Amino acid sequence: MATALVILAAGKGTRMKSDLPKVLHPLAGVPILAHAMQAGAALAPERTVIIAGHGAEQVEKAAHAIDPDLSVALQTEQLGTAHAVAQAAPALGGFSGDVFVLYGDTPFIGADTLRRMAEARARHDVVVLGFEAADPGRYGRLVMAGEQLERILEFKDATDAEKAITLCNSGVVCADAETLFSLIDAVDCDNAAGEYYLTDIVGLAQARGLSATAVSCDEAETLGINSRADLAAAEAAFQARARTAALDGGVTLSAPETVHFALDTVLGPDTVVEPYVVFGAGVTVEGGAQIRAFSHLEGCRVAAGAVVGPYARLRPGADLDQGARVGNFVEIKNARLGVGAKVNHLSYVGDADVGAGSNIGAGTITCNYDGVMKHRTEIGENVFVGSSTMLVAPVRLGDGSMTGSGSVITENVPDGALAIGRARQVTKPGLAMKLFDMLKLKARK
Ligand code: UD1
Ligand code: CA
C-alpha cells in the first residue's frame, strides 16, 4: 500500500516565547520536525507534505534541507487540525493510498507503532493512535465500543463523565486518501473552540457506516513539545534512550550521562567513547574507533581504529580513514585523512585531502580562505609537514615530500622534495648578553 505523510506544523508555539518556529528548535542535534519525519520514514512514504503557517518560510527552508523532495503546503490561518490537513490536498493530487497525519511537535512516535497502525488499516477505514494517559489533562478522549472507535471528544466539549475516560488521542491518524479528504470536507466548526477538528472524522466515519479503531502506544511516544521545559524534558528522554541503545549496541561509554547524541548518530560496536563527548548531526563512527574525552563531532565519518581527541573538533565533511589520528586542539573541516594519517596537536585542517601515512606537525594550518573564496590543500601520501607550517591554498604537497617547520608554503611542492619557506636564521654571538646589560641599566634609572 502506497503511503503519504502529512505533518502538521503551522501552529505558533506561543509558549516557546521564540522568534524561531517551534518545530525548528533543535532536539538531539536536529530540528524537532526531523524526528516525526524519521519515524514516518519507516513507512517508506511516497510523498511527504509539511503544513506550515507561522514562520512558514523558515520551516520550508529547514524542511527542504532535511528532504528536498517533500512538499510544503501553506495554512495561512490556523482554523484547526482538519483545516490544516485539508491544505495538503493539492500536494497529494493523484495520490492513492494511505495518508498518515503526524504532528511536527510530537517527536517520539515509534516506527513500530506506525507499522501497527498500517496493519490495523487493513481491517478498518480510519485508525487513530491512542494512549492510556497517567494524567489525561486536556487531551481529546477516545470513546470506544469494543474494537470500534465511536468518536473522539475534545476536552473542551466533554462532560465531566466523559472527561473520566483515560484513553486519549495522540493526534496521529491514518486513512485512505480519498476517504480522509471526503470526511474532512464534512467537518464543521460547530464546537467550543470554533475550530475544524480533525478528530470529528471519526464520528463522521461511523455515521457513514465506515469502521474506525484505535491502536495504543506508550505515553512516552506521544510527548508533545509546547514549552522550553517540554523541550528540555524531551532532550533528556532522547539522550537517556540513545545512551542505552549505544551500550546495548556494544559501545563502551565510561560516563554515559556526559555523552550527547544526535538523532542520526551511528556508532559501530567496540567504539569507545570517553566522558564529555558531543555528537552533532550526521556522525558515523565505525567499529573499534576511540573518541576521547571532550571532543565535539558533527557531520563526519570516523573509520575503524581511528583515534579522535582528547579535545578534538571534527566539523562537517571530516572523513577519517582507518587508523587516522586527530589529537588535542585540532580542528578538521571538509577534509579527508587517509589511512594512518596523523594530525596530533594544535592544528587546523580544512578543505584538504591528506594522503595515507602523512604526518601533520603541531601548529599547522591550512590557510583555506582568502576572504572571499575557499581553496583546497592537497597533501600526498607519506608527507611530513613540519610543525607550524602555513599551507596557503590552493597548494599541493607531492607524495613523500617534506616542509621545514615554520614555513609558509605558497607554491606546489613536487614528490619527494623538501620545501622551506621562511627567513634564514641570523645568529649574533654575545649580543644577547649585551642587550640584557643595556636593559638592566635602563631599568635602574
Ligand atoms: C489535538 C487533538 C486532541 C489531541 C491532542 C494531542 C484536535 C482537534 N485535537 O489537540 O484530540 O489529544 O492534539 O496533542 O485535533 N495545527 C496546525 N494548524 C491548525 C491547528 C493545529 O498546523 O490550524 C498543528 C499544531 O501546530 C500542532 C498540532 O496541529 O502541531 C496540534 O494542534 P493543537 O492546537 O496543539 O491541538 P490540541 O488542541 O492540543
Ligand atoms: Ca497540543
Side-chain angles (χ1 to χ4, degrees):
M1 173 69 82
T3 305
L5 299 180
V6 173
I7 303 180
L8 307 192
K12 186 146 194 274
T14 313
R15 280 187 281 156
M16 294 296 284
K17 301 199 174 117
S18 177
D19 287 338
L20 187 68
K22 177 167 78 177
V23 294
L24 300 189
H25 281 259
L27 172 64
V30 299
I32 295 172
L33 180 63
H35 290 254
M37 287 170 60
Q38 157 131 335
L43 302 166
E46 211 166 78
R47 297 193 206 178
T48 298
V49 187
I50 311 285
I51 310 298
H54 286 279
E57 245 173 66
Q58 277 169 282
V59 171
E60 177 163 12
K61 207 172 150 222
H64 279 138
I66 302 166
D67 175 2
D69 296 331
L70 56 73
S71 323
V72 176
L74 200 62
Q75 186 195 27
T76 39
E77 269 185 293
Q78 280 66 61
L79 304 179
T81 45
H83 178 258
V85 176
Q87 310 312 306
L92 293 179
F95 169 81
S96 64
D98 281 351
V99 175
F100 279 75
V101 178
L102 305 177
Y103 290 173
D105 63 0
T106 305
F108 296 146
I109 301 290
D112 282 343
T113 299
L114 294 179
R115 283 191 213 104
R116 283 194 292 120
M117 287 182 74
E119 278 162 31
R121 250 289 294 137
R123 287 169 279 114
H124 301 275
D125 299 295
V126 176
V127 180
V128 170
L129 181 63
F131 61 101
E132 277 297 335
D135 169 16
R138 302 185 66 82
Y139 286 116
R141 308 297 208 264
L142 302 188
V143 183
M144 302 297 296
E147 209 187 320
Q148 285 294 314
L149 173 59
E150 298 239 287
R151 60 200 178 108
I152 306 179
L153 272 166
E154 283 309 295
F155 176 82
K156 286 179 190 161
D157 304 300
T159 64
D160 283 345
E162 288 161 344
K163 282 176 190 165
I165 298 173
T166 52
L167 184 61
C168 292
N169 176 28
S170 70
V172 180
V173 172
C174 165
D176 164 74
E178 205 183 320
T179 310
L180 178 69
F181 289 113
S182 140
L183 289 169
I184 284 175
D185 267 347
V187 171
D188 62 31
C189 58
D190 188 11
N191 53 54
E195 284 184 11
Y196 295 90
Y197 290 162
L198 179 62
T199 46
D200 281 356
I201 66 166
V202 171
L204 290 166
Q206 292 289 359
R208 287 186 192 180
L210 299 175
S211 167
T213 197
V215 161
S216 288
C217 70
D218 196 284
E219 185 169 6
E221 290 184 38
T222 69
L223 176 109
I225 296 171
N226 294 306
S227 63
R228 308 269 181 166
D230 290 345
L231 181 59
E235 186 73 52
F238 176 89
Q239 296 301 339
R241 282 196 297 270
R243 288 162 191 149
T244 304
L247 294 166
D248 289 348
V251 173
T252 292
L253 302 175
S254 50
E257 65 288 354
T258 66
V259 177
H260 279 249
F261 294 89
L263 176 63
D264 57 357
T265 306
V266 178
L267 303 183
D270 278 331
T271 296
V272 174
V273 182
E274 291 185 358
Y276 297 100
V277 169
V278 175
F279 294 101
V283 176
T284 298
V285 178
E286 291 172 7
Q290 202 181 337
I291 313 298
R292 306 203 52 201
F294 300 102
S295 294
H296 191 285
L297 296 80
E298 176 179 18
C300 62
R301 181 189 74 104
V302 178
V307 182
V308 175
Y311 296 100
R313 178 155 185 221
L314 301 187
R315 289 176 54 205
D319 187 353
L320 275 52
D321 281 345
Q322 292 196 4
R325 276 165 190 266
V326 171
N328 40 260
F329 307 108
V330 170
E331 175 179 341
I332 310 282
K333 184 215 75 169
N334 190 28
R336 186 188 69 92
L337 299 192
V339 175
K342 294 190 182 79
V343 190
N344 274 336
H345 336 265
L346 297 159
S347 292
Y348 171 60
V349 176
D351 300 311
D353 212 305
V354 180
S358 287
N359 191 321
I360 310 292
T364 293
I365 289 174
T366 53
C367 310
N368 59 329
Y369 186 50
D370 59 17
V372 181
M373 282 184 297
K374 302 270 171 72
H375 303 280
R376 286 197 75 81
T377 299
E378 307 280 344
I379 298 173
E381 294 186 1
N382 301 312
V383 172
F384 182 88
V385 177
S387 295
S388 206
T389 298
M390 299 296 120
L391 297 161
V392 182
V395 72
R396 173 163 212 293
L397 305 184
D399 291 344
S401 65
M402 195 184 261
T403 70
S405 61
S407 289
V408 178
I409 302 295
T410 56
E411 286 164 26
N412 290 347
V413 180
D415 290 358
L418 164 66
I420 304 173
R422 62 176 186 228
R424 181 169 288 278
Q425 180 171 329
V426 180
T427 308
K428 313 258 179 183
L431 191 58
M433 274 156 59
K434 276 189 198 160
L435 265 174
F436 280 131
D437 289 345
M438 267 168 61
L439 289 169
K440 281 176 194 156
L441 211 65
K442 218 173 175 184
R444 246 181 265 138
K445 276 186 194 161

